[in-house]
Amino acid sequence: MRDIKKRLEQKGWSKKDISKTVRIIEQAKANKHPKIKILDKLVFWASLVIAIIGNFIISISLIPILLALNNLPLYIVLITLGVAFGLLFELLIRTIEHLEAKHHIFLGIIIPIIAIINVIIIVTFSNNLEKIINIENPHSPLLVGVIYAFAFMLPYLIYQLFLKNKHQ
């Protein structure tokens, strides 16, 4: 609500009109049908599950890339995939209108952690597979995981830090 108040003040609204508007919004939230509240939560959790599954699928698709590439070419592919999937995730999150600051903080923490864990598991698997098929191309699981997670979160961070205020 503080964001709404601040934006309305910046637009020159009177304190009386701001209070009335905030009260109307709060009443609307309180009077929401229970099924709509459940649907709101379902959309949030479904988005989280989709992001987790998507990160895992991308992690699995990295196995041949991890076997074939090393250093700079690998990191370019990781960053490209991370930014591409991060854009999809950011658009998904932005279209969910009922998300509050606590949801954004939760997503901003949990999704990168899950992305790092997924990629670490896949890189470790890839390194073990390389040993089995006699390829010398080991990678640091943590470094690869952090690079992918950072690239994945980059679109979300750019929107939240720089573009959000321009679109409101």
Side-chain angles (χ1 to χ4, degrees), residues 19-158:
S19 296
K20 184 177 178 182
T21 302
V22 168
R23 190 172 53 252
I24 290 169
I25 292 171
E26 287 173 347
Q27 285 175 349
K29 283 183 180 181
N31 293 333
K32 228 183 227 187
H33 194 278
K35 289 183 180 178
I36 297 295
K37 289 180 182 179
I38 292 171
L39 184 62
D40 286 346
K41 289 180 182 178
L42 182 67
V43 168
F44 173 76
W45 288 106
S47 299
L48 181 61
V49 169
I50 288 168
I52 292 169
I53 291 170
N55 267 313
F56 187 69
I57 290 169
I58 287 175
S59 298
I60 290 173
S61 71
L62 286 175
I63 292 173
I65 295 166
L66 290 165
L67 293 173
L69 300 177
N70 202 356
N71 299 327
L72 187 61
L74 173 66
Y75 300 136
I76 290 171
V77 170
L78 282 174
I79 291 168
T80 303
L81 285 173
V83 167
F85 193 66
L87 280 169
L88 284 172
F89 177 72
E90 196 281 321
L91 287 171
L92 174 69
I93 295 303
R94 195 179 339 151
T95 58
I96 303 173
E97 295 176 1
H98 73 280
L99 290 184
E100 298 172 10
K102 66 181 179 183
H103 295 112
H104 286 284
I105 292 169
F106 176 74
L107 290 172
I109 293 171
I110 196 74
I111 295 298
I113 290 170
I114 291 171
I116 289 171
I117 291 170
N118 279 340
V119 175
I120 286 173
I121 291 169
I122 295 302
V123 171
T124 303
F125 174 79
S126 171
N127 286 343
N128 290 334
L129 187 60
E130 287 172 358
K131 289 177 187 173
I132 292 170
I133 60 176
N134 255 352
I135 296 176
E136 285 292 323
N137 193 17
H139 304 286
S140 165
L142 185 59
L143 179 63
V144 171
V146 168
I147 289 171
Y148 173 76
F150 177 75
F152 175 77
M153 289 305 296
L154 196 59
Y156 179 79
L157 293 172
I158 288 171

